[in-house]
């Protein structure tokens, strides 16, 4: 139960941070390009790398901190950071082909699924 609460609280914080980044980038850079999404994806991937490295190489932190920071805050901020970590871990295991398949499948299939969702809504409207 504590794990769920930690993820829930962290997710709220991460989502609020994402919203703030989206507002700030729209205000300062405009809305003609998805600067907010790009920013949270890049910053989130950097922070996830820092967290994963800290937990793995420094041996610091409890499972509670990992859940709160990585799954909670970073999950609320951007799931792209987890996608990036997964791809990097597969690559570091020496499975370059599998990493490429994972990246391409995730991006292409996700975009196709979005278009399918749009199509289905239009079909039923």
């Amino acid at each position: 139960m504590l794990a769920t609460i930690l993820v829930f609280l962290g997710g709220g914080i991460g989502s609020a941070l994402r919203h703030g980044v989206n507002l700030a980038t729209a205000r300062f850079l405009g809305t003609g390009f998805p600067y907010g999404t790009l920013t949270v994806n890049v910053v989130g991937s950097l922070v996830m790398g820092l967290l994963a490295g800290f937990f793995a190489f420094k041996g610091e932190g409890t499972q509670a901190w990992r859940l709160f920071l990585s799954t909670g805050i970073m999950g609320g901020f951007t799931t792209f950071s987890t996608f990036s970590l997964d791809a990097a871990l597969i690559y570091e295991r020496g499975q370059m082909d599998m990493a490429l398949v994972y990246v391409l499948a995730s991006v292409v299939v996700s975009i196709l699924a979005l278009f399918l969702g749009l199509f289905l809504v239009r079909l039923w409207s």
Side-chain angles (χ1 to χ4, degrees), residues 112-124:
L112 289 174
L114 183 133
F115 277 113
L116 176 61
L118 291 172
F119 171 78
L120 292 173
V121 169
R122 288 179 181 133
L123 185 68
W124 295 328

Side-chain angles (χ1 to χ4, degrees), residues 4 6 11 19 23 28 34 47 49 55 63 68 72 76 84-86 91 93-94 99 101 103 124:
T4 301
L6 290 170
H19 180 62
L23 291 176
F28 294 110
V47 173
F55 291 139
Q63 181 65 12
F68 177 69
S84 299
L85 177 61
D86 290 341
Y91 174 82
R93 286 195 307 247
V101 167
V103 168
W124 295 328

Side-chain angles (χ1 to χ4, degrees), residues 3 15-16 26 54 60 67 76 78 87 90 93 98 116-117:
S15 295
F54 183 76
E60 302 288 331
L67 287 170
T78 174
I90 295 168
R93 286 195 307 247
M98 187 63 69
L116 176 61

Side-chain angles (χ1 to χ4, degrees), residues 70-99:
S70 298
T71 306
I73 292 178
M74 296 313 301
F77 189 63
T78 174
T79 56
F80 196 86
S81 59
T82 304
F83 162 75
S84 299
L85 177 61
D86 290 341
L89 292 174
I90 295 168
Y91 174 82
E92 287 193 348
R93 286 195 307 247
Q95 298 174 304
M96 189 177 299
D97 291 347
M98 187 63 69

